[in-house]
Coordinates of all heavy atoms in Angstrom, one line a residue:
M1 N 138.1 65.2 135.6 CA 136.7 65.4 135.3 C 136.6 65.6 133.8 O 137.6 65.6 133.0 CB 136.1 66.6 136.0 CG 135.9 66.4 137.5 SD 134.7 65.2 138.0 CE 135.7 63.8 138.4
S2 N 135.4 65.9 133.3 CA 135.1 66.0 131.9 C 135.9 67.2 131.3 O 136.0 68.3 131.9 CB 133.6 66.2 131.7 OG 133.4 66.4 130.4
A3 N 136.4 67.0 130.1 CA 137.0 68.1 129.4 C 136.0 69.1 128.9 O 136.3 70.2 128.4 CB 137.8 67.5 128.2
L4 N 134.7 68.7 129.0 CA 133.6 69.6 128.5 C 133.2 70.6 129.6 O 132.4 71.5 129.3 CB 132.4 68.8 128.1 CG 132.7 67.7 127.0 CD1 131.4 66.9 126.7 CD2 133.1 68.4 125.7
T5 N 133.7 70.4 130.8 CA 133.3 71.4 131.8 C 134.5 72.2 132.3 O 135.7 71.8 132.1 CB 132.8 70.6 133.1 OG1 133.7 69.7 133.6 CG2 131.4 69.9 132.7
E6 N 134.3 73.3 132.8 CA 135.3 74.3 133.2 C 135.7 74.0 134.7 O 134.8 73.8 135.5 CB 134.8 75.7 133.1 CG 135.8 76.8 133.4 CD 135.2 78.1 133.2 OE1 134.2 78.3 132.5 OE2 135.7 79.1 133.9
S7 N 137.0 74.1 135.0 CA 137.5 73.9 136.4 C 137.1 75.2 137.2 O 137.2 76.3 136.6 CB 139.0 73.7 136.4 OG 139.5 73.7 137.7
I8 N 136.7 75.0 138.4 CA 136.3 76.2 139.2 C 136.6 75.9 140.7 O 136.5 74.7 141.1 CB 134.8 76.5 139.1 CG1 134.4 77.8 139.7 CG2 133.9 75.3 139.6 CD1 133.0 78.3 139.3
S9 N 137.0 76.9 141.4 CA 137.3 76.7 142.9 C 136.0 76.6 143.6 O 134.9 77.1 143.2 CB 138.1 77.8 143.4 OG 137.3 79.0 143.6
R10 N 136.0 75.9 144.8 CA 134.8 75.8 145.7 C 134.3 77.2 146.0 O 133.1 77.4 146.0 CB 135.2 75.0 146.9 CG 135.2 73.6 146.8 CD 135.5 72.9 148.2 NE 135.2 71.5 148.1 CZ 136.0 70.6 147.5 NH1 137.1 71.0 146.8 NH2 135.7 69.3 147.4
Q11 N 135.2 78.1 146.4 CA 134.8 79.4 146.8 C 134.0 80.2 145.7 O 132.9 80.7 145.9 CB 136.0 80.2 147.3 CG 135.6 81.6 147.9 CD 134.7 81.5 149.1 OE1 134.8 80.6 149.9 NE2 133.7 82.4 149.2
V12 N 134.5 80.2 144.5 CA 133.9 80.9 143.4 C 132.6 80.2 143.1 O 131.6 80.9 142.8 CB 134.8 80.9 142.2 CG1 134.1 81.5 140.9 CG2 136.0 81.8 142.5
L13 N 132.5 78.9 143.1 CA 131.3 78.2 142.8 C 130.2 78.5 143.9 O 129.1 78.7 143.5 CB 131.5 76.7 142.7 CG 130.3 75.8 142.3 CD1 129.6 76.3 141.0 CD2 130.7 74.4 142.2
L14 N 130.6 78.5 145.1 CA 129.7 78.8 146.2 C 129.1 80.3 146.0 O 128.0 80.5 146.3 CB 130.3 78.6 147.6 CG 130.4 77.1 148.0 CD1 131.2 77.0 149.2 CD2 129.1 76.5 148.1
E15 N 130.0 81.2 145.6 CA 129.5 82.5 145.4 C 128.5 82.6 144.3 O 127.4 83.2 144.4 CB 130.7 83.5 145.0 CG 131.6 83.7 146.2 CD 132.9 84.4 145.8 OE1 133.1 84.9 144.7 OE2 133.8 84.5 146.7
K16 N 128.8 81.9 143.2 CA 127.8 81.8 142.1 C 126.5 81.1 142.5 O 125.4 81.6 142.2 CB 128.4 81.0 140.9 CG 129.5 81.8 140.1 CD 130.0 80.8 139.1 CE 131.0 81.5 138.2 NZ 130.5 82.4 137.2
A17 N 126.6 80.1 143.3 CA 125.5 79.3 143.7 C 124.6 80.2 144.7 O 123.4 80.2 144.5 CB 125.9 78.0 144.5
N18 N 125.2 80.9 145.6 CA 124.4 81.7 146.5 C 123.8 82.9 145.8 O 122.7 83.3 146.2 CB 125.3 82.1 147.7 CG 125.5 81.0 148.7 OD1 124.5 80.4 149.1 ND2 126.7 80.7 149.0
Q19 N 124.4 83.4 144.8 CA 123.7 84.4 144.0 C 122.5 83.9 143.3 O 121.4 84.5 143.3 CB 124.7 85.0 143.0 CG 124.1 86.2 142.2 CD 123.6 87.3 143.0 OE1 124.2 87.7 144.0 NE2 122.4 87.8 142.7
L20 N 122.6 82.7 142.7 CA 121.5 82.0 142.0 C 120.4 81.7 143.0 O 119.2 81.8 142.7 CB 122.0 80.8 141.3 CG 121.1 80.2 140.2 CD1 120.9 81.3 139.1 CD2 121.8 79.0 139.5
I21 N 120.8 81.2 144.2 CA 119.8 80.9 145.3 C 118.9 82.1 145.5 O 117.7 82.0 145.6 CB 120.5 80.4 146.6 CG1 121.0 79.0 146.4 CG2 119.5 80.5 147.7 CD1 121.9 78.6 147.5
K22 N 119.5 83.3 145.7 CA 118.8 84.5 146.0 C 117.8 84.9 144.9 O 116.8 85.6 145.1 CB 119.7 85.6 146.3 CG 120.4 85.4 147.6 CD 121.4 86.5 147.9 CE 122.1 86.2 149.2 NZ 123.2 87.2 149.5
E23 N 118.1 84.5 143.7 CA 117.2 84.8 142.5 C 116.1 83.8 142.3 O 115.2 84.0 141.5 CB 118.1 84.9 141.3 CG 119.1 86.0 141.3 CD 120.1 86.0 140.2 OE1 120.0 85.1 139.3 OE2 121.1 86.8 140.2
H24 N 116.2 82.6 143.0 CA 115.2 81.5 142.8 C 113.9 81.9 143.5 O 113.8 82.5 144.5 CB 115.8 80.3 143.5 CG 115.1 79.0 143.0 ND1 113.9 78.6 143.6 CD2 115.4 78.1 142.1 CE1 113.5 77.5 143.0 NE2 114.4 77.2 142.0
D25 N 112.8 81.5 142.9 CA 111.5 81.7 143.4 C 111.2 81.2 144.8 O 110.4 81.7 145.5 CB 110.4 81.1 142.4 CG 110.3 81.9 141.1 OD1 110.8 83.1 141.1 OD2 109.7 81.3 140.2
D26 N 111.9 80.1 145.1 CA 111.7 79.4 146.5 C 112.6 80.0 147.5 O 112.6 79.5 148.7 CB 111.9 77.9 146.4 CG 110.8 77.2 145.6 OD1 109.7 77.8 145.4 OD2 111.1 76.1 145.1
Y27 N 113.4 81.0 147.2 CA 114.4 81.6 148.2 C 113.6 82.1 149.4 O 112.6 82.7 149.3 CB 115.2 82.7 147.5 CG 116.0 83.4 148.5 CD1 117.2 82.9 149.0 CD2 115.6 84.7 149.0 CE1 118.0 83.6 150.0 CE2 116.4 85.4 150.0 CZ 117.6 84.8 150.4 OH 118.3 85.4 151.4
F28 N 114.2 81.9 150.6 CA 113.8 82.6 151.8 C 115.1 83.0 152.6 O 116.1 82.4 152.4 CB 112.8 81.7 152.6 CG 113.4 80.4 153.0 CD1 114.2 80.3 154.2 CD2 113.2 79.3 152.3 CE1 114.7 79.1 154.5 CE2 113.7 78.0 152.6 CZ 114.4 77.9 153.8
A29 N 114.9 84.0 153.5 CA 116.1 84.4 154.2 C 116.7 83.3 155.0 O 116.0 82.5 155.6 CB 115.7 85.5 155.2
G30 N 118.0 83.2 154.9 CA 118.8 82.1 155.6 C 119.1 80.9 154.7 O 120.0 80.1 155.1
M31 N 118.5 80.8 153.6 CA 118.8 79.7 152.7 C 120.2 80.1 152.0 O 120.4 81.1 151.4 CB 117.8 79.6 151.6 CG 118.0 78.4 150.6 SD 116.9 78.3 149.2 CE 115.3 77.9 150.0
E32 N 121.1 79.1 152.1 CA 122.4 79.3 151.5 C 123.1 78.0 151.4 O 122.9 77.0 152.1 CB 123.3 80.2 152.4 CG 123.7 79.6 153.7 CD 124.7 80.5 154.5 OE1 125.3 81.4 153.9 OE2 124.9 80.2 155.7
A33 N 124.0 77.9 150.4 CA 124.9 76.8 150.2 C 126.2 77.2 150.9 O 126.8 78.2 150.6 CB 125.1 76.5 148.8
N34 N 126.7 76.3 151.8 CA 128.0 76.6 152.5 C 129.0 75.6 152.2 O 130.2 75.6 152.7 CB 127.8 76.9 154.0 CG 127.1 75.8 154.7 OD1 127.2 74.6 154.2 ND2 126.4 76.1 155.7
E35 N 128.7 74.6 151.4 CA 129.7 73.5 151.0 C 129.2 72.9 149.7 O 128.1 72.9 149.4 CB 129.6 72.4 152.1 CG 130.7 71.4 151.9 CD 130.6 70.3 153.0 OE1 129.9 70.4 153.9 OE2 131.4 69.3 152.8
V36 N 130.2 72.5 148.9 CA 130.0 71.8 147.7 C 131.0 70.7 147.5 O 132.2 71.0 147.9 CB 130.0 72.8 146.5 CG1 131.3 73.5 146.3 CG2 129.6 72.0 145.2
I37 N 130.6 69.6 147.1 CA 131.5 68.5 146.8 C 131.2 67.9 145.4 O 130.2 68.2 144.9 CB 131.4 67.3 147.9 CG1 130.0 66.7 147.9 CG2 131.8 67.8 149.3 CD1 129.9 65.4 148.7
Q38 N 132.2 67.2 144.9 CA 132.1 66.6 143.6 C 131.9 65.1 143.8 O 132.7 64.4 144.5 CB 133.4 66.8 142.8 CG 133.3 66.3 141.4 CD 132.9 67.3 140.4 OE1 133.2 68.5 140.5 NE2 132.1 66.9 139.4
Q39 N 130.8 64.6 143.3 CA 130.5 63.1 143.3 C 130.4 62.7 141.9 O 129.3 62.8 141.3 CB 129.3 62.8 144.1 CG 129.5 63.0 145.6 CD 128.4 62.4 146.5 OE1 127.2 62.5 146.1 NE2 128.7 61.9 147.6
G40 N 131.5 62.1 141.3 CA 131.4 61.8 139.9 C 131.3 63.1 139.1 O 132.1 64.0 139.3
D41 N 130.3 63.1 138.2 CA 130.1 64.3 137.4 C 129.1 65.3 138.0 O 128.8 66.3 137.4 CB 129.6 63.9 136.0 CG 130.6 63.2 135.2 OD1 131.9 63.4 135.5 OD2 130.3 62.4 134.3
V42 N 128.7 65.0 139.3 CA 127.6 65.8 139.9 C 128.2 66.6 141.0 O 129.0 66.2 141.9 CB 126.5 64.9 140.4 CG1 125.4 65.7 141.1 CG2 125.9 64.1 139.3
L43 N 127.9 67.9 141.0 CA 128.2 68.8 142.1 C 127.1 68.8 143.1 O 125.9 69.0 142.8 CB 128.4 70.2 141.6 CG 129.6 70.4 140.6 CD1 129.5 71.7 139.9 CD2 130.9 70.3 141.4
V44 N 127.4 68.5 144.4 CA 126.4 68.3 145.4 C 126.6 69.5 146.4 O 127.7 69.7 147.0 CB 126.6 67.0 146.2 CG1 125.6 66.8 147.3 CG2 126.5 65.8 145.2
F45 N 125.5 70.2 146.6 CA 125.5 71.4 147.4 C 124.9 71.1 148.8 O 124.0 70.3 148.9 CB 124.8 72.6 146.8 CG 125.5 73.1 145.5 CD1 125.2 72.5 144.3 CD2 126.3 74.1 145.6 CE1 125.9 72.9 143.2 CE2 127.0 74.6 144.5 CZ 126.8 74.0 143.2
R46 N 125.5 71.7 149.8 CA 125.0 71.5 151.2 C 124.9 72.8 151.9 O 125.6 73.7 151.6 CB 126.0 70.6 151.9 CG 126.1 69.2 151.3 CD 127.1 68.3 152.1 NE 127.2 67.0 151.5 CZ 128.2 66.2 151.7 NH1 129.1 66.5 152.5 NH2 128.2 65.0 151.2
G47 N 124.0 72.8 152.9 CA 123.8 73.9 153.8 C 122.7 73.6 154.8 O 122.3 72.5 154.9
P48 N 122.3 74.6 155.5 CA 121.2 74.4 156.5 C 120.0 73.8 155.9 O 119.5 74.2 154.8 CB 120.9 75.8 157.1 CG 122.1 76.6 156.6 CD 122.7 76.0 155.4
F49 N 119.4 72.8 156.6 CA 118.2 72.2 156.0 C 116.9 72.5 156.8 O 115.8 72.0 156.5 CB 118.3 70.7 155.9 CG 119.0 70.2 154.7 CD1 120.4 70.0 154.6 CD2 118.3 70.0 153.5 CE1 121.0 69.7 153.4 CE2 118.9 69.7 152.3 CZ 120.2 69.5 152.3
F50 N 117.0 73.3 157.9 CA 115.8 73.8 158.6 C 114.9 72.7 159.1 O 113.7 72.6 158.7 CB 115.1 74.8 157.7 CG 115.9 76.0 157.4 CD1 116.6 76.0 156.2 CD2 116.1 77.0 158.2 CE1 117.5 77.1 155.8 CE2 116.9 78.1 157.9 CZ 117.6 78.1 156.7
L51 N 115.4 71.8 159.8 CA 114.7 70.7 160.4 C 113.9 71.2 161.7 O 114.3 72.2 162.3 CB 115.6 69.5 160.8 CG 116.4 68.9 159.6 CD1 117.4 67.9 160.2 CD2 115.5 68.4 158.6
D52 N 112.9 70.4 162.1 CA 112.1 70.9 163.3 C 112.9 70.4 164.5 O 113.9 69.8 164.5 CB 110.7 70.4 163.2 CG 110.5 68.9 163.4 OD1 111.5 68.2 163.7 OD2 109.4 68.4 163.2
E53 N 112.2 70.6 165.7 CA 112.9 70.2 167.0 C 113.2 68.7 167.1 O 114.1 68.4 167.8 CB 111.9 70.6 168.2 CG 111.4 71.9 168.2 CD 110.2 72.1 167.3 OE1 109.2 71.3 167.2 OE2 110.2 73.1 166.5
Q54 N 112.4 67.9 166.4 CA 112.7 66.4 166.5 C 113.6 66.0 165.3 O 113.9 64.8 165.2 CB 111.4 65.7 166.4 CG 110.5 65.7 167.6 CD 109.4 66.8 167.5 OE1 109.1 67.2 166.4 NE2 108.9 67.3 168.6
G55 N 114.1 66.9 164.6 CA 115.0 66.6 163.5 C 114.3 66.1 162.2 O 114.9 65.5 161.3
L56 N 113.0 66.4 162.1 CA 112.2 66.0 161.0 C 112.1 67.2 159.9 O 112.2 68.3 160.3 CB 110.8 65.6 161.4 CG 110.8 64.4 162.4 CD1 109.3 64.2 162.9 CD2 111.3 63.2 161.7
P57 N 111.9 66.8 158.7 CA 111.9 67.8 157.6 C 110.7 68.8 157.8 O 109.6 68.4 158.4 CB 111.7 67.0 156.4 CG 112.1 65.6 156.7 CD 111.9 65.5 158.2
T58 N 110.8 70.0 157.3 CA 109.8 71.0 157.4 C 109.5 71.4 155.9 O 110.2 71.0 155.0 CB 110.2 72.2 158.2 OG1 111.3 72.8 157.6 CG2 110.5 71.8 159.6
V59 N 108.6 72.3 155.7 CA 108.3 72.9 154.4 C 109.6 73.6 153.9 O 109.9 73.5 152.7 CB 107.1 73.9 154.5 CG1 107.0 74.6 153.2 CG2 105.9 73.2 154.9
K60 N 110.3 74.2 154.8 CA 111.6 74.9 154.4 C 112.6 73.8 153.9 O 113.4 74.1 153.0 CB 112.1 75.7 155.5 CG 111.4 77.0 155.7 CD 112.0 77.8 156.8 CE 111.4 79.2 156.9 NZ 112.0 80.1 157.9
T61 N 112.6 72.7 154.5 CA 113.5 71.6 154.2 C 113.3 71.2 152.7 O 114.2 71.0 151.9 CB 113.4 70.4 155.1 OG1 113.5 70.8 156.4 CG2 114.4 69.3 154.8
T62 N 112.0 71.1 152.3 CA 111.7 70.7 151.0 C 112.1 71.8 150.0 O 112.7 71.5 148.9 CB 110.2 70.5 150.8 OG1 109.8 69.5 151.8 CG2 109.8 70.1 149.4
A63 N 112.0 73.0 150.3 CA 112.4 74.1 149.5 C 113.9 74.1 149.3 O 114.4 74.3 148.2 CB 112.0 75.5 150.1
V64 N 114.7 73.9 150.4 CA 116.1 73.9 150.3 C 116.5 72.7 149.4 O 117.4 72.9 148.5 CB 116.8 73.7 151.7 CG1 118.2 73.4 151.6 CG2 116.5 75.0 152.5
F65 N 116.0 71.5 149.6 CA 116.3 70.4 148.8 C 116.1 70.7 147.3 O 116.9 70.4 146.5 CB 115.5 69.1 149.2 CG 115.7 67.9 148.4 CD1 116.8 67.1 148.6 CD2 114.8 67.6 147.3 CE1 117.0 66.0 147.8 CE2 115.1 66.6 146.5 CZ 116.1 65.7 146.7
N66 N 114.9 71.2 147.0 CA 114.6 71.5 145.6 C 115.6 72.6 145.0 O 116.0 72.4 143.8 CB 113.2 72.0 145.5 CG 112.2 70.9 145.7 OD1 112.5 69.7 145.5 ND2 111.0 71.2 146.1
V67 N 116.0 73.6 145.8 CA 116.9 74.6 145.3 C 118.3 74.0 145.1 O 119.0 74.2 144.1 CB 116.9 75.8 146.2 CG1 118.0 76.8 145.8 CG2 115.6 76.5 146.1
F68 N 118.7 73.1 146.0 CA 120.0 72.5 145.9 C 120.1 71.5 144.7 O 121.1 71.4 144.0 CB 120.4 71.8 147.2 CG 120.9 72.7 148.3 CD1 120.8 74.1 148.2 CD2 121.3 72.2 149.5 CE1 121.3 74.9 149.2 CE2 121.8 73.0 150.5 CZ 121.7 74.4 150.4
K69 N 119.0 70.9 144.5 CA 118.9 70.0 143.3 C 119.0 70.9 142.0 O 119.7 70.5 141.1 CB 117.5 69.3 143.3 CG 117.3 68.3 142.1 CD 116.0 67.6 142.2 CE 115.7 66.8 141.0 NZ 114.4 66.2 141.0
Y70 N 118.3 72.0 142.0 CA 118.4 72.9 140.9 C 119.8 73.4 140.7 O 120.3 73.4 139.5 CB 117.5 74.1 141.2 CG 117.7 75.3 140.3 CD1 117.2 75.3 138.9 CD2 118.2 76.5 140.7 CE1 117.4 76.3 138.1 CE2 118.4 77.6 139.9 CZ 118.0 77.5 138.6 OH 118.1 78.6 137.7
L71 N 120.6 73.7 141.7 CA 122.0 74.1 141.6 C 122.8 73.0 141.0 O 123.6 73.2 140.1 CB 122.5 74.4 143.0 CG 122.0 75.7 143.7 CD1 122.6 75.8 145.1 CD2 122.2 76.9 142.9
A72 N 122.6 71.7 141.5 CA 123.3 70.6 140.9 C 123.1 70.4 139.4 O 124.0 70.2 138.7 CB 122.9 69.3 141.7
L73 N 121.8 70.5 139.0 CA 121.5 70.4 137.6 C 122.1 71.6 136.8 O 122.5 71.4 135.7 CB 120.0 70.3 137.4 CG 119.3 69.1 138.0 CD1 117.8 69.2 137.9 CD2 119.7 67.9 137.1
T74 N 122.0 72.7 137.3 CA 122.5 73.9 136.6 C 124.0 73.9 136.5 O 124.6 74.2 135.4 CB 122.1 75.2 137.4 OG1 120.6 75.2 137.4 CG2 122.6 76.5 136.7
F75 N 124.7 73.7 137.6 CA 126.2 73.8 137.5 C 127.0 72.6 137.1 O 128.1 72.7 136.6 CB 126.7 74.3 138.9 CG 126.3 75.7 139.2 CD1 125.5 76.0 140.3 CD2 126.7 76.8 138.4 CE1 125.2 77.3 140.6 CE2 126.4 78.1 138.7 CZ 125.6 78.4 139.8
S76 N 126.5 71.4 137.3 CA 127.2 70.2 137.0 C 127.5 70.0 135.5 O 128.6 69.4 135.2 CB 126.5 68.9 137.5 OG 126.4 68.9 138.9
S77 N 126.7 70.6 134.7 CA 127.0 70.5 133.2 C 128.0 71.5 132.8 O 128.5 71.4 131.6 CB 125.7 70.6 132.4 OG 125.1 71.8 132.7
H78 N 128.3 72.5 133.6 CA 129.3 73.5 133.2 C 130.6 73.5 133.9 O 131.6 74.0 133.4 CB 128.6 74.9 133.5 CG 127.4 75.1 132.7 ND1 127.3 75.4 131.4 CD2 126.1 75.1 133.1 CE1 126.1 75.5 131.0 NE2 125.3 75.4 132.0
Y79 N 130.6 73.0 135.2 CA 131.8 73.1 136.0 C 132.2 71.7 136.6 O 131.4 70.9 136.8 CB 131.6 74.1 137.1 CG 131.3 75.5 136.7 CD1 130.0 76.0 136.8 CD2 132.3 76.3 136.1 CE1 129.7 77.3 136.4 CE2 132.0 77.6 135.7 CZ 130.7 78.1 135.8 OH 130.4 79.3 135.4
H80 N 133.5 71.7 137.0 CA 134.0 70.6 137.9 C 134.9 71.3 138.9 O 135.5 72.4 138.6 CB 134.7 69.5 137.2 CG 135.9 69.9 136.4 ND1 135.8 70.3 135.1 CD2 137.2 69.9 136.7 CE1 137.0 70.6 134.7 NE2 137.9 70.4 135.6
L81 N 135.1 70.8 140.1 CA 135.9 71.4 141.1 C 137.4 71.2 140.8 O 137.8 70.2 140.3 CB 135.6 70.8 142.5 CG 134.2 71.1 143.0 CD1 134.0 70.4 144.4 CD2 134.0 72.6 143.1
E82 N 138.2 72.2 141.1 CA 139.6 72.2 140.9 C 140.2 71.1 141.8 O 139.8 70.8 142.8 CB 140.3 73.5 141.3 CG 139.8 74.6 140.4 CD 140.4 76.0 140.8 OE1 140.8 76.2 141.9 OE2 140.5 76.8 139.9

């Protein structure tokens, strides 16, 4: 990965991400990142998406997507996975 970013373990990054999630304006109980992968220079966060009974997106799904996008933008310029 880039020499301009710091190496970080998945566990430590998820801890940082979940702390940032709790501080985000769109946070609601149950929102969490439980997985992160590296795709090129981008860190992609995953977790519960709160779909409805038919598997369709809800208002909570949109909030989770936006917060995970925020995490990707925030952390990808600073870190890469070990």
Side-chain angles (χ1 to χ4, degrees):
M1 290 294 103
S2 174
L4 303 176
T5 59
E6 182 180 338
S7 178
I8 191 169
S9 73
R10 278 182 169 75
Q11 184 60 37
V12 172
L13 183 55
L14 286 172
E15 289 171 10
K16 288 177 175 282
N18 282 309
Q19 182 59 44
L20 199 57
I21 286 172
K22 290 178 181 173
E23 297 169 3
H24 196 278
D25 289 342
D26 291 339
Y27 172 77
F28 58 85
M31 183 186 292
E32 69 174 343
N34 54 28
E35 184 180 356
V36 61
I37 62 169
Q38 181 93 39
Q39 289 188 327
D41 290 337
V42 179
L43 295 165
V44 179
F45 293 86
R46 296 179 179 164
F49 274 94
F50 301 93
L51 302 174
D52 70 10
E53 309 78 48
Q54 288 97 22
L56 299 173
T58 64
V59 173
K60 287 184 174 183
T61 307
T62 302
V64 170
F65 176 82
N66 289 335
V67 172
F68 285 5
K69 180 179 173 185
Y70 169 72
L71 294 175
L73 291 171
T74 300
F75 289 119
S76 294
S77 61
H78 298 288
Y79 301 105
H80 62 270
L81 294 177
E82 294 177 338

